[in-house]
Structures are given as structure tokens and as C-alpha cells.
Amino acid sequence: GPGKAELIERIADSGSISAAARAMRMSYRRAWQLVEALNKDYRERVVTTSAGGARGGGARVTPFGLRLVAEYRAMEDKASAA
């Protein structure tokens, strides 16, 4: 849906689930749950994460995740045009 697509786009832009959640005025817990659900829904991971620490953690949208959002946005455009 549009919320998950936006979350993926914001993670891609920020490299962070927490920053994406803040930008969407969503709790970190909810954003994390959505990311986990997306990763379980597909054979390929949509978002990968790394633990924090001295260098900090982060999140990265995989090439599959980027294609998924691009295809979703294209579908939205076609539906709007119809």
C-alpha cells in the first residue's frame, strides 16, 4: 500500500528506519513491524539492517525493494490515469 511504499522510500533516502518513522509521524515500533512484514512477504529482502554500535547502525533498501516501490508507483500512475 501507499504507506509501506512511502516508508521504503524514506528508508532509502535516510538510511534509517527511525528517521523514516519520524518523518512519517509513525512510531519506530510500527515502522519496524512493517519492515519485518515486508521482508516476510517476499522471497527477497526489501530492507536490510545493521546493528548500532560505535559506527551506528542503519537500514538499506535492497535493489529488489527499490524495484518493488518503482513497480507500485507505476501501477498507481496507471490507475490514476484510468
Side-chain angles (χ1 to χ4, degrees):
K4 288 179 183 176
E6 181 181 354
L7 180 62
I8 294 169
E9 290 168 335
R10 289 184 183 264
I11 292 170
D13 290 342
S14 67
S16 165
I17 294 172
S18 60
R22 278 192 304 274
M24 294 178 69
R25 298 178 185 239
M26 175 188 298
S27 73
Y28 173 78
R29 181 174 167 16
R30 179 67 180 139
W32 182 256
Q33 288 172 334
L34 290 172
V35 167
E36 282 187 323
L38 283 163
N39 281 336
K40 287 180 184 176
D41 286 345
Y42 297 97
R43 290 182 193 194
E44 292 184 54
R45 295 181 64 80
V46 176
V47 176
T48 59
T49 59
S50 58
R55 291 191 226 165
R60 185 180 67 83
V61 177
T62 65
F64 171 75
L66 295 173
R67 282 193 317 273
L68 184 66
V69 171
E71 289 179 21
Y72 176 81
R73 293 299 185 202
M75 181 185 67
E76 270 188 332
D77 292 343
K78 286 180 183 177
S80 293

